[in-house]
Amino acid sequence: MTIFGQAAELVLSADAELMAVVGLSLRVSLTATLIASLFAIPLGTALAIWQFPLRQVLVVISTSMMALPPVVVGLIIYLLLSRAGPLGSYGILFTPTAMIMAQSVLIFPIVLALTREAILPLDRDYKNLLDAWDVSPLQRLKTLIWDARFAVVTGLLAGFGRALAEVGAVIIVGGNIAGFTRVMTTTIALETSKGNLELALALGIILLSIAVTINTAIHWISSFGRKYQVKR
Amino acid sequence: MAALKLTNVSYSVDGAPLLHDISFMQENKGVNAILGPNGAGKSLLLSLIHGVIKPDMGLVTWNGISAQRNKLTRGYVFQTPIVLRRSVRANLAYPLTLTRENTQDQKRAIDEMLKLSHLAPLADQPAASLSGGEAQRMAIARALITKPAVLLLDEPCSNLDPASTKLIEAMIRTFISDGGSVFISTHDLAQAKRLADVVLFIEAGQLLEHGPADEFFAKPATPQAQAYLSGDL
């Protein structure tokens, strides 16, 4: 049987080791996306609609963070969580929690920037109407996030995709420990170096399938969202 | 009865006066048409009346209370309807969430407004799919759904066909017959003649005439108003 055949068999038979790795990957990346979005969506909206001191500085910093090299993020989180670091006493280095932290940091600027980009034009469209109703700042925030929901969800999916495909940061802070912190990307890297190509390929097939599913969802959500946009 | 009072209201942008020392009081119900040539300051005056913008000098009050407050007691409709990225029904529901109406009252009010605006068959469509006339009817219905005492309309029928204009005028008449009061800025003299009880004529940022519409159209008092009505201004 070829490597492709063996990889396909691993996927179709829902191999236990394979599924454990996939499960952990999804759990870590979904949690990281959720945590990042809790902060990034309100902050991205605030940066789009409110004028306050240092706003432009925050915009530049957040945009620059999109180019953060994952290994550098991994290194910084490692230094924070290592025994000598300020958070070393919590003992979370080389755990899924550390991986979630690293991925959250990586996703945060992506979700923030995409949210801000989605809210900016909407705020311009809505400003006079919401002013005429004297809508409170909090209600304005909620209204804009809700009405930009399709674009915001697209941003979340993009962030989730980025988290799932990430390898540099999670290998540094997770340690790639079998059965504990080994996720799809780190397993692919390790198994390929060991010559265990069928497992690496099986994970590659699953990773690619998830990427295609995410992109299909982004495309579908964007198309659906366009129905609610006023054509100019 | 809503009483609007402007006292020595002026507004300028970058030092250029756009409205100058406007004072008037308006207590009667009915339709008050703000007339004047393009750039006279009609839309600006309407924005000041609603309290969306604050005058540089002077006071705008409704029943003695600053126009900056209690904006939800008035409905405001823009020349180009602003459509929330939601269904028609959700657009109508939005102001009710601001006034915290209960669900049953919301449903009743929405159904009533869908009927008034002739939009019931389109209730669950994205509002963005509406035509210009439909979107403006929705905007008026959305402004009326909180049962305001006053409706402020900024050239609501510009760029609309006669059929859409007729439907919108019917909505205005229904609101008036229910005891409401309307301030409408328009450059459509025929519409002003059909609807207005009172005319406020402004030119170059100054209020030149304020009185019964019949008198204004029959015998304008100022040369500017005469020129405006004869199409020379």
Side-chain angles (χ1 to χ4, degrees):
Chain A
M1 193 185 284
T2 64
I3 294 171
F4 285 101
Q6 288 172 326
E9 196 179 310
L10 280 174
V11 175
L12 294 172
S13 65
D15 177 77
E17 186 188 353
L18 187 83
M19 287 304 122
V21 171
V22 172
L24 181 67
S25 288
L26 291 174
R27 187 160 60 86
V28 167
S29 297
L30 280 170
T31 310
T33 307
L34 184 69
I35 290 170
S37 65
L38 281 176
F39 297 97
I41 293 173
L43 189 59
T45 306
L47 284 176
I49 64 175
W50 290 331
Q51 304 290 330
F52 51 85
L54 300 177
R55 175 174 168 269
Q56 282 306 324
V57 175
L58 281 176
V59 170
V60 171
I61 291 172
S62 63
T63 309
S64 306
M65 279 175 70
M66 287 177 76
L68 271 178
V71 285
V72 174
V73 172
L75 177 63
I76 293 167
I77 303 283
Y78 178 91
L79 291 172
L80 287 172
L81 301 181
S82 62
R83 198 163 292 176
L87 304 175
S89 58
Y90 292 100
I92 50 178
L93 189 63
F94 303 132
T95 66
T97 306
M99 294 155 75
I100 290 168
M101 282 176 70
Q103 287 195 352
S104 298
V105 173
L106 283 168
I107 300 168
F108 174 80
I110 296 171
V111 178
L112 184 146
L114 292 175
T115 300
R116 185 173 161 270
E117 286 303 309
I119 298 289
L120 267 174
L122 197 60
D123 184 49
R124 276 195 292 271
D125 286 354
Y126 283 15
K127 188 178 184 313
N128 288 338
L129 185 67
L130 300 183
D131 285 349
W133 277 321
D134 225 357
V135 170
S136 71
L138 184 63
Q139 182 71 30
R140 186 178 294 254
L141 197 86
K142 281 160 57 182
T143 301
L144 289 167
I145 292 172
W146 176 252
D147 282 14
R149 59 196 177 280
F150 299 111
V152 171
V153 170
T154 299
L156 288 182
L157 287 173
F160 175 63
R162 156 88 158 154
L164 210 57
E166 200 284 317
V167 57
V170 289
I171 209 163
I172 292 175
V173 301
N176 207 14
I177 303 165
F180 187 51
T181 59
R182 196 165 284 179
V183 289
M184 283 193 279
T185 50
T186 58
T187 308
I188 290 172
L190 180 72
E191 298 301 329
T192 304
S193 68
K194 284 162 57 183
N196 188 5
L197 296 181
E198 60 277 3
L199 180 58
L201 197 58
L203 286 167
I205 291 168
I206 293 172
L207 205 51
L208 270 174
S209 305
I210 293 171
V212 170
T213 306
I214 289 172
N215 278 295
T216 306
I218 287 174
H219 180 76
W220 184 82
I221 289 168
S222 298
S223 305
F224 191 73
R226 274 194 287 277
K227 288 182 190 169
Y228 288 85
Q229 286 179 18
V230 178
K231 287 144 193 88
R232 294 177 194 285
Chain B
M1 187 182 293
L4 167 67
K5 189 177 180 187
L6 275 76
T7 312
N8 305 115
V9 168
S10 295
Y11 187 84
S12 56
V13 173
D14 297 332
L18 302 181
L19 290 177
H20 180 65
D21 199 24
I22 293 183
S23 297
F24 70 87
M25 197 168 92
Q26 187 59 54
E27 285 197 32
N28 54 325
K29 287 191 173 185
V31 177
N32 306 282
I34 302 171
L35 301 181
N38 286 337
K42 301 187 294 291
S43 298
L44 185 59
L45 179 60
L46 213 56
S47 297
L48 282 160
I49 286 174
H50 187 40
V52 182
I53 52 174
K54 208 174 169 182
D56 296 334
M57 288 200 309
L59 278 175
V60 182
T61 59
W62 290 93
N63 297 328
I65 297 167
S66 168
Q68 314 282 311
R69 300 174 60 188
N70 300 338
K71 291 198 188 83
L72 275 169
T73 60
R74 299 181 291 276
Y76 193 101
V77 176
F78 297 88
Q79 183 175 350
T80 305
I82 299 174
V83 168
L84 298 174
R85 292 183 187 180
R86 306 172 182 208
S87 68
V88 172
R89 190 186 298 278
N91 262 270
L92 295 178
Y94 184 81
L96 298 174
T97 62
L98 302 174
T99 55
R100 295 184 171 80
E101 297 285 335
N102 69 47
T103 314
Q104 201 55 41
D105 288 347
Q106 278 193 26
K107 193 179 176 313
R108 198 179 311 118
I110 291 167
D111 288 343
E112 193 184 319
M113 285 303 136
L114 285 170
K115 192 177 169 194
L116 177 72
S117 57
H118 299 270
L119 291 172
L122 304 170
D124 297 311
Q125 298 291 314
S129 67
L130 299 179
S131 69
E134 289 164 346
Q136 194 61 289
R137 292 203 313 270
M138 185 200 75
I140 294 173
R142 194 176 55 191
L144 291 175
I145 202 159
T146 53
K147 302 205 179 303
V150 184
L151 186 60
L152 306 169
L153 303 166
D154 186 3
E155 304 205 19
C157 300
S158 60
N159 308 319
L160 296 187
D161 58 30
S164 296
T165 300
K166 193 176 172 185
L167 285 169
I168 285 172
E169 289 182 5
M171 291 176 79
I172 294 171
R173 287 196 182 92
T174 304
F175 177 63
I176 295 295
S177 66
D178 290 343
S181 171
V182 168
F183 284 79
I184 178 172
S185 78
T186 179
H187 56 248
D188 181 346
L189 288 176
Q191 182 176 59
K193 282 179 185 171
R194 284 195 299 272
L195 292 174
D197 301 301
V198 169
V199 165
L200 296 121
F201 176 72
I202 59 171
E203 204 268 321
Q206 291 188 301
L207 181 66
L208 298 181
E209 297 203 26
H210 174 209
D214 297 347
E215 287 178 22
F216 175 81
F217 288 115
K219 200 176 175 186
T222 59
Q224 291 93 331
Q226 288 164 15
Y228 175 70
L229 290 177
S230 59
D232 296 326
L233 184 66

